[in-house]
Amino acid sequence: MSQSPAVKPFMEVLSGRRQSVPPVWMMRQAGRYLPEYRELRAKAGGFLDLCFNPEWAAEVTLQPIRRFGFDAAIIFSDILVIPHALGRSVRFEVGEGPRLDPLDTPEKIATLTTAADFTKLEPVFEALRRVRAELDPKVALIGFCGAPWTVATYMVAGQGTPDQAPARMLAYREPDAFAKIIDVLVENSIEYLLGQLKAGADALQIFDTWAGILPPREFQRWSVEPTRRIVEGVRAKAPHAKIIGFPRGAGAQLPLYVGRTGVDGVSIDWAAEPSLIRERVQNHVAVQGNLDPLALIAGGDALDRAVDDALANYAGGRYIFNLGHGIQPETPIAHVEQMLRRVRAYNL
């Protein structure tokens, strides 16, 4: 007699089935707030060395699961591995973030290769296979990529900037050239996400960290449409793939994003307006979020109130408890434990 597969609460929500106790995980849950992560990071040397060592990347992915028992693990990697696989120089400077060779003119963009070398990403797939083999069957495994708009902003500027103005300016002045970057990222992101599903990912998340800086017309062209194409491209070969979008800062444009992209869930930042989310987003897809990471640092009564607000606003529907962005390195572990106790005591 064959055993039925274990129920994963995280996947249940993405499949349209509300859970009485919301599943919970945190963006950047494998990271610098954990002493075990800092120890391994010091041993690895460079950040990409850690990402591309399957043994270490798998270990880092599993660390927060062992410590906290989250309902989902997210593979330890970075959104800039696609530019790396496209042959671009990608390096991480300590304290300064990523550095790439800028693609800031049509002439430079013309040199961009169209097909990634996926052998460079095989370590990510191997890390996924290792995590899948060790993970409790009830815990979901998430693969991810950066949305084309957000990845392109780093490729154009060669680094992060306060408002990603270099990419915005290039998209205005040279839209055809900029569209080439987007097209290359769309096609290769589809293949990358399919590879992650094949390697054991249960669900996928598309991070569009810089979506919120775009005006409505550009938001539709550079954030919504490329994401829609990725979702369609993945589903063409994996029809049942569950995909979460995270257009950070999208605000009132979230209903349009959800309606046009076809995602199964949407992650919301801490500034999202609850009634808009409940009435025009959560009635269509699962919602994930949106505790302010600073409330998690603050702890105490302020954290309890913030957790209660998120639960009161969203836990009546399809809901995955998470932060409104990544956990900060200075977050006390005791505050994460406090948050988890409060969420898991919830039952409606």
Side-chain angles (χ1 to χ4, degrees):
M1 185 175 173
S2 62
Q3 287 186 319
S4 58
V7 173
K8 297 177 169 69
F10 174 87
M11 297 302 296
E12 289 290 292
V13 174
L14 288 182
S15 300
R17 293 180 284 275
R18 179 193 166 275
Q19 303 296 287
S20 57
V21 178
V24 55
W25 68 284
M26 298 189 304
M27 286 182 277
R28 290 196 195 137
Q29 65 190 19
R32 288 175 289 172
Y33 74 107
L34 291 175
E36 55 266 43
Y37 170 85
R38 294 195 296 271
E39 183 181 332
L40 192 53
R41 174 75 174 81
K43 185 192 300 184
F47 176 73
L48 284 179
D49 295 321
L50 184 54
C51 290
F52 289 137
N53 182 310
E55 179 184 353
W56 291 345
E59 169 61 22
V60 168
T61 302
L62 290 163
Q63 285 173 349
I65 306 303
R66 294 194 197 107
R67 185 184 274 272
F68 301 114
F70 288 122
D71 294 291
I74 186 165
I75 194 65
F76 183 79
S77 186
D78 192 81
I79 65 170
L80 296 180
V81 296
I82 290 283
H84 170 77
L86 287 166
R88 309 305 300 176
S89 171
V90 180
R91 42 203 192 279
F92 285 80
E93 307 290 347
V94 176
E96 296 183 12
R99 292 289 184 271
L100 299 86
D101 295 335
L103 281 173
D104 50 7
T105 66
E107 293 74 25
K108 291 181 183 176
I109 293 167
T111 69
L112 178 64
T113 186
T114 57
D117 177 0
F118 281 94
T119 62
K120 291 184 175 181
L121 301 182
E122 177 55 33
V124 179
F125 303 142
E126 175 59 21
L128 278 156
R129 288 189 286 268
R130 289 179 181 225
V131 173
R132 177 78 279 155
E134 289 195 43
L135 211 53
D136 184 302
K138 294 190 288 291
V139 178
L141 178 55
I142 306 168
F144 73 91
C145 72
W149 162 252
T150 287
V151 176
T153 64
Y154 291 99
M155 294 176 75
V156 170
Q159 61 186 34
T161 65
D163 56 3
Q164 301 300 64
R168 290 161 63 197
M169 190 68 75
L170 186 70
Y172 281 129
R173 287 178 169 165
E174 304 286 351
D176 292 342
F178 188 75
K180 181 189 174 179
I181 302 177
I182 295 294
D183 290 345
V184 168
L185 290 172
V186 165
E187 294 306 317
N188 288 283
S189 296
I190 291 168
E191 294 307 312
Y192 181 45
L193 292 176
L194 286 167
Q196 292 183 70
L197 287 173
K198 186 177 179 182
D202 294 301
L204 304 166
Q205 181 152 322
I206 302 172
F207 287 88
D208 210 350
T209 309
W210 290 100
I213 61 175
L214 290 167
R217 182 190 298 269
E218 280 65 41
F219 177 77
Q220 291 186 50
R221 180 171 185 181
W222 302 124
S223 177
V224 173
E225 278 305 300
T227 301
R228 180 192 63 77
R229 290 165 59 194
I230 290 175
V231 171
E232 285 189 359
V234 170
R235 295 241 177 87
K237 294 186 178 178
H240 304 295
K242 298 300 179 188
I243 303 173
I244 302 169
F246 183 25
R248 185 185 177 199
Q253 300 186 97
L254 273 166
L256 178 143
Y257 176 95
V258 166
R260 295 197 179 174
T261 60
V263 293
D264 300 284
V266 66
S267 206
I268 53 174
D269 59 67
W270 60 86
E273 207 289 309
S275 62
L276 177 135
I277 300 301
R278 286 195 305 270
E279 295 164 15
R280 298 182 57 201
V281 175
Q282 197 177 22
N283 55 343
H284 298 292
V285 297
V287 165
Q288 175 178 273
N290 66 331
L291 186 77
D292 185 346
L294 295 188
L296 190 57
I297 295 174
D301 291 342
L303 174 57
D304 284 346
R305 284 193 299 271
V307 170
D308 290 349
D309 281 348
L311 291 169
N313 283 324
Y314 307 116
R318 291 171 287 171
Y319 182 51
I320 297 162
F321 192 95
N322 205 314
L323 308 183
H325 198 233
I327 185 172
Q328 297 293 310
E330 62 269 34
T331 306
I333 286 172
H335 295 183
V336 178
E337 293 168 341
Q338 176 188 345
M339 176 195 77
L340 285 170
R341 283 194 301 272
R342 198 127 185 127
V343 174
R344 287 174 173 156
Y346 181 87
N347 198 314
L348 180 65

